[in-house]
Structures are given as C-alpha cells and as structure tokens.
Amino acid sequence: MRAIHHWDLWVDDFETASGQWGWLFGELGWAAGEKGHYWEAPDGTYVFMEHSEDQHGSQDRLRPGVNHIAFALEGERDLLDRIRAESTEHGWHEMYADRYPHAGGDEHTALYLESSEGFEVEIVLEVEDLTA
C-alpha cells in the first residue's frame, strides 16, 4: 500500500513548471500522463499539475503550509550526481551546493533543488543496506 494517493500542484506558469517538473519526475522514474498534466510514480502515487482561477498570491515555502517535498531515489550515487549536474539546464536552482551531498547531515545523502516558482524538493538517496 502506498503512503500517499496523490497530490495537486498549483503553479503560476504552467508551461515553465511542466517542463521543470516533467524533467525531474522523468529522472525519478515517474511516467508522464496525458498532456503533461500529471505524472505517476512506480508505486501508483501521482501528482496532478494545474493553474487554477482560484489561486491567489505566490508560493512561499517559508510561510505556514508545506515547506518542501522529499522524494526517495533508489540507486547509485552517480544518478543523484547526474540529476544535480543537469538540473540547472532544466530550470532548477541547487540549494546548499557548498554542502552537497550531506547538507542534511553526515548520514543523509540528498540533493536540494528549488524550482523557478520557489518550490523546494529534496531528493534523498536510499541505498540498500548490504550488511543486513
């Protein structure tokens, strides 16, 4: 059973956001749905992107609400490094670059990115424990 069924992502600039998020979801192994409006993870969790007439104001992750979302990345460190290297050309800004890949602590391997609209994502490398 998956922990999250789906989430909605309201964006201001749909074309720009769908390019940024679409690239990232593709790198994370999520499949694109019709017309670039949603992406689905291998476990069935999906995100639906839209611009709504009900929307007002801009994204500010430092105000009450959701600060960021963290994605699990299974695989090798080279995949995380490749996402980092290619993120800028896809509209993402790296956060805490001087502390990569351990900005979250010595035992935590992750990449922190911010979209052009101020959405923060954390991509956490989950490595299978080979000692178990």
Side-chain angles (χ1 to χ4, degrees):
M1 180 168 180
R2 60 189 189 224
I4 296 175
H5 185 269
H6 77 278
W7 50 283
D8 291 347
L9 178 62
W10 282 12
V11 298
D12 189 45
D13 181 343
F14 185 84
E15 293 303 316
T16 298
S18 63
Q20 291 174 351
W21 286 94
W23 169 80
L24 183 62
F25 287 133
E27 293 299 306
L28 297 174
W30 293 44
E34 64 180 81
K35 301 179 186 173
H37 287 259
Y38 74 90
W39 292 265
E40 185 174 342
D43 73 353
T45 301
Y46 66 93
V47 60
F48 185 80
M49 180 183 294
E50 68 178 314
H51 176 81
S52 172
E53 297 295 324
D54 295 328
Q55 189 174 322
H56 61 277
S58 59
Q59 164 67 13
D60 184 350
R61 64 183 180 77
L62 300 178
R63 294 182 54 103
V66 176
N67 175 271
H68 72 279
I69 186 163
F71 295 100
L73 178 66
E74 294 181 7
E76 300 296 322
R77 166 74 187 277
D78 61 338
L79 179 55
L80 189 67
D81 291 341
R82 184 172 57 76
I83 292 171
R84 179 186 191 218
E86 296 175 6
S87 64
T88 302
E89 66 190 73
H90 294 280
W92 292 91
H93 166 74
E94 183 179 357
M95 303 170 72
Y96 320 115
D98 60 325
R99 294 182 278 165
Y100 176 80
H102 301 293
D106 292 340
E107 301 299 318
H108 186 74
T109 303
L111 171 64
Y112 296 82
L113 298 173
E114 184 177 38
S115 76
S116 62
E117 290 187 298
F119 293 101
E120 179 185 342
V121 299
E122 177 182 355
I123 304 169
V124 181
L125 183 62
E126 295 193 343
V127 180
E128 184 178 325
D129 185 2
L130 302 176
T131 62

